[in-house]
Amino acid sequence: MYDIIEGMNNWLPNSEGLLAYWQLLVAAAAVFNFLQNFATLKLTSRIYNVKPNTVTALQARTFAVWTLTSAVVRFYAAYNIHNKLCYDMAMLTYLIAFGHFSSEWLIYRSASMNLGLLSPVIVSTTSLIWMFNQYTFYVRR
């Protein structure tokens, strides 16, 4: 049992603090979201629930590609949490996500504040606040 746990530790980020692990968790969730956008429109339609007819297969695939791109950046940030460029790029992915979901809710009115929208808003704002507050701890110039 100890060998299995030790083997898993070799795959985890080697960093003090929890932010690198959070980046890894969010990136893994994004990979799931990427895959589900190719398989079904069901979960994406929950986000854009006010105008579900605007959720098309093309839109879902485009959303999937963005989600995979953000996952790659966040994976890099998880394993390179002290690298200023990786850290900054990961922060920008959360800012872009927050901007997108907020605009769909407040400007375009294609989403309402439900669990489908609340989840990415919580993840993006929590990540932004955490990364901003811990910037000098992780990014050493």
Side-chain angles (χ1 to χ4, degrees):
M1 181 68 164
Y2 178 77
D3 291 337
I4 294 172
I5 293 171
E6 188 63 31
M8 289 175 53
N9 281 338
N10 293 335
W11 292 94
L12 295 174
N14 186 13
S15 174
E16 66 277 359
L18 297 175
L19 185 57
Y21 300 108
W22 173 252
Q23 295 295 329
L24 188 62
L25 176 67
V26 174
V31 171
F32 165 77
N33 194 3
F34 159 77
L35 294 171
Q36 74 82 27
N37 269 291
F38 281 101
T40 180
L41 302 178
K42 186 177 179 181
L43 295 178
T44 304
S45 295
R46 289 182 187 171
I47 296 172
Y48 308 100
N49 65 325
V50 175
K51 298 179 182 177
N53 60 324
T54 62
V55 178
T56 65
L58 174 61
Q59 184 269 343
R61 290 190 306 270
T62 304
F63 192 68
V65 170
W66 154 253
T67 303
L68 181 62
T69 303
S70 66
V72 169
V73 171
R74 293 167 187 169
F75 270 124
Y76 269 92
Y79 290 98
N80 299 282
I81 199 75
H82 298 294
N83 181 302
K84 181 181 179 348
L85 181 60
C86 289
Y87 197 97
D88 290 351
M89 288 180 65
M91 278 184 69
L92 286 172
T93 66
Y94 294 114
L95 184 62
I96 291 167
F98 178 76
H100 167 73
F101 292 114
S102 297
S103 67
E104 291 298 331
W105 176 41
L106 299 170
I107 298 170
Y108 301 112
R109 307 255 186 235
S110 62
S112 65
M113 191 50 71
N114 63 11
L115 186 59
L117 181 65
L118 193 58
S119 296
V121 168
I122 288 172
V123 169
S124 62
T125 55
T126 300
S127 300
L128 276 170
I129 292 167
W130 190 355
M131 292 183 79
F132 182 77
N133 285 331
Q134 294 291 303
Y135 194 87
T136 56
F137 177 78
Y138 288 102
V139 178
R140 298 183 182 112
R141 298 171 192 246

PDB file of all heavy atoms in Angstrom, residues 13 16 29-30 33 41 101-102 111 116 128:
ATOM      1  N   PRO A  13       2.714  17.597  -8.003  1.00  0.00           N
ATOM      2  CA  PRO A  13       3.652  18.728  -8.008  1.00  0.00           C
ATOM      3  C   PRO A  13       4.501  18.746  -6.739  1.00  0.00           C
ATOM      4  O   PRO A  13       4.026  18.390  -5.654  1.00  0.00           O
ATOM      5  CB  PRO A  13       2.732  19.955  -8.051  1.00  0.00           C
ATOM      6  CG  PRO A  13       1.425  19.460  -8.541  1.00  0.00           C
ATOM      7  CD  PRO A  13       1.326  18.032  -8.096  1.00  0.00           C
ATOM      8  N   GLU A  16       5.744  23.683  -1.968  1.00  0.00           N
ATOM      9  CA  GLU A  16       5.126  23.973  -0.678  1.00  0.00           C
ATOM     10  C   GLU A  16       3.801  24.681  -0.928  1.00  0.00           C
ATOM     11  O   GLU A  16       3.593  25.257  -1.980  1.00  0.00           O
ATOM     12  CB  GLU A  16       6.058  24.823   0.204  1.00  0.00           C
ATOM     13  CG  GLU A  16       6.322  26.219  -0.314  1.00  0.00           C
ATOM     14  CD  GLU A  16       7.428  26.314  -1.364  1.00  0.00           C
ATOM     15  OE1 GLU A  16       8.044  25.309  -1.709  1.00  0.00           O
ATOM     16  OE2 GLU A  16       7.635  27.431  -1.862  1.00  0.00           O
ATOM     17  N   ALA A  29     -10.199  18.701 -13.843  1.00  0.00           N
ATOM     18  CA  ALA A  29     -11.635  18.939 -14.050  1.00  0.00           C
ATOM     19  C   ALA A  29     -11.887  19.527 -15.434  1.00  0.00           C
ATOM     20  O   ALA A  29     -12.883  19.200 -16.088  1.00  0.00           O
ATOM     21  CB  ALA A  29     -12.174  19.860 -12.959  1.00  0.00           C
ATOM     22  N   ALA A  30     -10.982  20.380 -15.897  1.00  0.00           N
ATOM     23  CA  ALA A  30     -11.116  20.979 -17.225  1.00  0.00           C
ATOM     24  C   ALA A  30     -10.986  19.920 -18.322  1.00  0.00           C
ATOM     25  O   ALA A  30     -11.664  19.991 -19.347  1.00  0.00           O
ATOM     26  CB  ALA A  30     -10.084  22.082 -17.414  1.00  0.00           C
ATOM     27  N   ASN A  33     -14.253  18.329 -18.547  1.00  0.00           N
ATOM     28  CA  ASN A  33     -15.178  19.224 -19.241  1.00  0.00           C
ATOM     29  C   ASN A  33     -14.906  19.216 -20.746  1.00  0.00           C
ATOM     30  O   ASN A  33     -15.839  19.246 -21.552  1.00  0.00           O
ATOM     31  CB  ASN A  33     -15.052  20.637 -18.670  1.00  0.00           C
ATOM     32  CG  ASN A  33     -16.196  21.528 -19.082  1.00  0.00           C
ATOM     33  OD1 ASN A  33     -17.122  21.108 -19.755  1.00  0.00           O
ATOM     34  ND2 ASN A  33     -16.107  22.782 -18.689  1.00  0.00           N
ATOM     35  N   LEU A  41     -24.229  17.736 -25.134  1.00  0.00           N
ATOM     36  CA  LEU A  41     -24.483  19.163 -24.886  1.00  0.00           C
ATOM     37  C   LEU A  41     -25.159  19.385 -23.540  1.00  0.00           C
ATOM     38  O   LEU A  41     -25.398  20.531 -23.143  1.00  0.00           O
ATOM     39  CB  LEU A  41     -25.370  19.744 -26.000  1.00  0.00           C
ATOM     40  CG  LEU A  41     -24.844  19.637 -27.426  1.00  0.00           C
ATOM     41  CD1 LEU A  41     -25.860  20.215 -28.404  1.00  0.00           C
ATOM     42  CD2 LEU A  41     -23.514  20.329 -27.565  1.00  0.00           C
ATOM     43  N   PHE A 101     -17.935  34.025 -18.229  1.00  0.00           N
ATOM     44  CA  PHE A 101     -19.155  33.592 -17.534  1.00  0.00           C
ATOM     45  C   PHE A 101     -19.944  34.777 -16.982  1.00  0.00           C
ATOM     46  O   PHE A 101     -21.179  34.775 -17.014  1.00  0.00           O
ATOM     47  CB  PHE A 101     -18.815  32.579 -16.441  1.00  0.00           C
ATOM     48  CG  PHE A 101     -18.319  31.277 -16.997  1.00  0.00           C
ATOM     49  CD1 PHE A 101     -17.014  30.866 -16.790  1.00  0.00           C
ATOM     50  CD2 PHE A 101     -19.159  30.470 -17.747  1.00  0.00           C
ATOM     51  CE1 PHE A 101     -16.551  29.668 -17.311  1.00  0.00           C
ATOM     52  CE2 PHE A 101     -18.707  29.267 -18.278  1.00  0.00           C
ATOM     53  CZ  PHE A 101     -17.402  28.871 -18.058  1.00  0.00           C
ATOM     54  N   SER A 102     -19.249  35.790 -16.510  1.00  0.00           N
ATOM     55  CA  SER A 102     -19.937  36.994 -16.019  1.00  0.00           C
ATOM     56  C   SER A 102     -20.674  37.701 -17.149  1.00  0.00           C
ATOM     57  O   SER A 102     -21.809  38.156 -16.970  1.00  0.00           O
ATOM     58  CB  SER A 102     -18.937  37.958 -15.378  1.00  0.00           C
ATOM     59  OG  SER A 102     -18.353  37.368 -14.255  1.00  0.00           O
ATOM     60  N   ALA A 111     -27.300  33.034 -19.529  1.00  0.00           N
ATOM     61  CA  ALA A 111     -27.158  32.167 -18.360  1.00  0.00           C
ATOM     62  C   ALA A 111     -27.807  32.833 -17.157  1.00  0.00           C
ATOM     63  O   ALA A 111     -27.858  34.059 -17.063  1.00  0.00           O
ATOM     64  CB  ALA A 111     -25.678  31.919 -18.079  1.00  0.00           C
ATOM     65  N   GLY A 116     -24.879  25.348 -12.633  1.00  0.00           N
ATOM     66  CA  GLY A 116     -24.044  25.261 -13.836  1.00  0.00           C
ATOM     67  C   GLY A 116     -23.146  26.467 -14.012  1.00  0.00           C
ATOM     68  O   GLY A 116     -21.987  26.334 -14.415  1.00  0.00           O
ATOM     69  N   LEU A 128      -8.450  33.298  -8.669  1.00  0.00           N
ATOM     70  CA  LEU A 128      -7.884  34.638  -8.859  1.00  0.00           C
ATOM     71  C   LEU A 128      -7.480  35.284  -7.539  1.00  0.00           C
ATOM     72  O   LEU A 128      -6.378  35.830  -7.411  1.00  0.00           O
ATOM     73  CB  LEU A 128      -8.883  35.545  -9.586  1.00  0.00           C
ATOM     74  CG  LEU A 128      -8.910  35.444 -11.097  1.00  0.00           C
ATOM     75  CD1 LEU A 128     -10.108  36.209 -11.650  1.00  0.00           C
ATOM     76  CD2 LEU A 128      -7.615  35.962 -11.700  1.00  0.00           C
TER      77      LEU A 128
END
